Amino acid sequence: MASSEQIILIGAGNVGFHMGQALTKAGLKIHQVFSRSETKALRLASTINCSYSTSFEQISDEASVYILAVTDQAIPKVAKALASRLKGKKPLVVHTSGATPATVLEPCFERYGVFYPLQTFSVEQPVDFQKIPLLVFANRSADLEWLQQAGALITPLIYHIDDQQRKVLHIAAVMVNNFTNLLYSQAERLSKQHDFPFELLQPLIRETVQKIERHSPADMQTGPAIRGDEATINSHLDFLEKNYPDLKELYQLMTQLIRDTKN
Amino acid sequence: MASSEQIILIGAGNVGFHMGQALTKAGLKIHQVFSRSETKALRLASTINCSYSTSFEQISDEASVYILAVTDQAIPKVAKALASRLKGKKPLVVHTSGATPATVLEPCFERYGVFYPLQTFSVEQPVDFQKIPLLVFANRSADLEWLQQAGALITPLIYHIDDQQRKVLHIAAVMVNNFTNLLYSQAERLSKQHDFPFELLQPLIRETVQKIERHSPADMQTGPAIRGDEATINSHLDFLEKNYPDLKELYQLMTQLIRDTKN
């Protein structure tokens, strides 16, 4: 049973904090929390009522699952430090990163994997894990099964995704999250400089997203680019060239990409 | 009172169809519907129970407000035809376009304006006008007042927006609607070609939008570009160069724009 394993959570930042809470709420046993920051370690440990440590020497080597919820950059170093602490033991070690292949753990551990919740987190905002897809992977099928079972306790949205797929998925996530947010913030900039409220655009933004919950976005493309409305496109480009040269290139490139989808 | 005026609706396409219904539901009197297509004219006229015509000679010259819900390209020609039909009369004439200045009507009419619902419409999909911002403008203040009053009967979201603002707003709308939809459809393309379901990204897409309903998007930027995570950026660019060269330039440009917002 998934809930009989002893788990140690390494990292108590945005992801670690919410994952620790979700796992505990689901009945899984977090044995210990590790963070170099005592404030963060204590904040999480006190919330989920477990012990914590701030140095690797104090990390228990008795657990059966170690979850590395640390930054992408820190994963190799933390893995190494953990491996030397676990000498001889063979627990399952997973990281929670979308940008890092599972194989980064291979040199350190016999049993490794990924337990990656696809969402943006911040400690201040409550999270409903039931709505967050969890992308799991393990190099051994029994471990994959355990990750799927444990994951199923916190969300119904479990996907088995390998390193290559997760990389592409991360690029897609950057596009639909980071890049769309940039478009929103540029639209906000235009609204501020021309004295209309940004919230005027909110219904359109909402509708754009609601449409693609029912239809393929490829079928939902509207606007001057797909219509081939050169007069509007040229008038927009003229305006951007004079007033927002940094946005002109973006407008041109996006317009071209939309045109290309027509063919 | 706004509801005592006789309105004629010219155009029975996506915008005309929904606007005719909304105005009628709100108690305003549509006297006549015009469309060159008898099918479209009849479809709307029978829904809102008014007369229709398919030739300019049959358009009544007795109404006090004419709404041109025709394509951007058709506005000047339709305005000219209408003006010659209305010889000597001085009704208020407005168009419903986001991309067209009000002044395009100036050569034809003494009293002119804009009545522009900021949303994407299709005849098949029901529309809740209460959630659609309506951007109004008129060259005379009494007419502006009437447009605001009439608009208030169909939506609480009324904004007084001049030609220059509406142009910028249209560019912003293209960015948050057409361009984000392109990003969604490119993400869908990646998902199909790498065998993971596009709906995996839906919770992230939804969260991105929900965040900016409470916060400024400029404060909500996350991801490798704003973090300065060169390793991830380079690995994404490498992958795109080899597999999706058309998306590499987009990724680069977006990343640069996000970096620039930091300064």
Side-chain angles (χ1 to χ4, degrees), chain A residues 72-73 99 118-122 125 131-133 135 157 159 161 164-165 167-188 190-192 194-209 211-225 227 229-232 235-240 243-244 246-247 249-255 257-258 260-261, chain B residues 72-73 99 118-122 125 131-133 135 157 159 161 164-165 167-188 190-192 194-209 211-225 227 229-232 235-240 243-244 246-247 249-255 257-258 260-261:
Chain A
D72 298 350
Q73 290 75 15
L118 180 68
Q119 190 54 281
T120 56
F121 295 99
S122 50
Q125 295 217 335
K131 291 178 182 156
I132 297 179
L135 281 47
L157 309 172
Y159 298 89
I161 296 284
Q164 173 72 0
Q165 287 175 311
K167 181 175 189 165
V168 177
L169 190 54
H170 191 232
I171 295 175
V174 165
M175 289 170 58
V176 302
N177 175 284
N178 308 157
F179 291 177
T180 62
N181 191 74
L182 174 77
L183 292 169
Y184 299 151
S185 81
Q186 293 298 330
E188 187 186 39
L190 294 178
S191 76
K192 280 188 179 160
H194 295 271
D195 285 323
F196 60 84
F198 176 60
E199 72 247 31
L200 216 163
L201 290 164
Q202 291 282 11
L204 183 63
I205 290 172
R206 229 174 288 135
E207 173 72 8
T208 308
V209 168
K211 268 186 179 169
I212 63 153
E213 297 189 353
R214 303 180 300 263
H215 305 279
S216 161
D219 298 332
M220 290 296 110
Q221 193 65 55
T222 57
R227 273 203 311 274
D229 177 353
E230 302 301 327
T232 298
S235 128
H236 287 178
L237 286 173
D238 262 9
F239 175 85
L240 292 174
N243 303 281
Y244 299 90
D246 57 331
L247 295 182
E249 202 186 337
L250 177 69
Y251 191 103
Q252 259 172 328
L253 187 55
M254 288 292 225
T255 297
L257 283 167
I258 293 173
D260 291 346
T261 62
Chain B
D72 299 350
Q73 289 75 13
L118 181 66
Q119 190 56 281
T120 54
F121 295 100
S122 50
Q125 295 217 331
K131 291 179 181 154
I132 296 179
L135 281 47
L157 309 172
Y159 298 89
I161 296 284
Q164 172 72 1
Q165 287 174 310
K167 182 176 188 165
V168 177
L169 190 55
H170 191 232
I171 295 174
V174 165
M175 288 169 59
V176 303
N177 175 283
N178 308 155
F179 291 177
T180 61
N181 190 75
L182 174 75
L183 291 170
Y184 299 151
S185 81
Q186 293 298 330
E188 186 186 40
L190 294 178
S191 75
K192 279 188 181 161
H194 295 270
D195 284 323
F196 59 85
F198 177 60
E199 72 246 31
L200 216 162
L201 291 164
Q202 290 282 12
L204 183 65
I205 290 172
R206 229 175 287 134
E207 173 72 7
T208 308
V209 169
K211 268 187 179 170
I212 64 152
E213 298 191 352
R214 303 181 301 263
H215 305 280
S216 160
D219 300 332
M220 290 296 109
Q221 193 65 56
T222 57
R227 274 202 312 275
D229 177 353
E230 303 301 327
T232 298
S235 126
H236 287 176
L237 287 173
D238 262 9
F239 175 84
L240 292 174
N243 303 282
Y244 298 91
D246 57 332
L247 295 182
E249 200 186 339
L250 177 69
Y251 190 103
Q252 260 173 328
L253 186 55
M254 287 293 224
T255 297
L257 284 167
I258 293 172
D260 292 345
T261 62

Side-chain angles (χ1 to χ4, degrees), chain B residues 41-173:
Chain B
L42 186 59
R43 180 180 59 185
L44 177 54
S46 65
T47 313
I48 63 178
N49 201 19
C50 72
S51 69
Y52 71 89
S53 70
T54 56
S55 82
F56 269 100
E57 293 68 43
Q58 298 161 359
I59 291 184
S60 161
D61 61 354
E62 301 287 326
S64 44
V65 180
Y66 291 77
I67 299 177
L68 311 188
V70 299
T71 62
D72 299 350
Q73 289 75 13
I75 293 174
K77 228 175 63 185
V78 170
K80 225 170 157 183
L82 180 63
S84 73
R85 173 83 190 105
L86 296 178
K87 222 157 241 161
K89 305 278 173 103
K90 289 170 186 169
L92 169 61
V93 180
V94 299
H95 69 62
T96 60
S97 163
T100 312
T103 49
V104 81
L105 301 173
E106 197 172 30
C108 297
F109 310 105
E110 273 184 40
R111 299 163 52 206
Y112 59 88
V114 179
F115 199 69
Y116 164 49
L118 181 66
Q119 190 56 281
T120 54
F121 295 100
S122 50
V123 168
E124 307 78 37
Q125 295 217 331
V127 161
D128 181 2
F129 253 92
Q130 291 285 325
K131 291 179 181 154
I132 296 179
L134 192 67
L135 281 47
V136 298
F137 174 79
N139 69 322
R140 298 197 177 179
S141 62
D143 289 333
L144 176 61
E145 223 168 276
W146 184 83
L147 291 173
Q148 285 171 325
Q149 283 173 18
L153 297 173
I154 59 174
T155 173
L157 309 172
I158 306 279
Y159 298 89
H160 177 211
I161 296 284
D162 67 25
D163 274 357
Q164 172 72 1
Q165 287 174 310
R166 199 171 47 258
K167 182 176 188 165
V168 177
L169 190 55
H170 191 232
I171 295 174

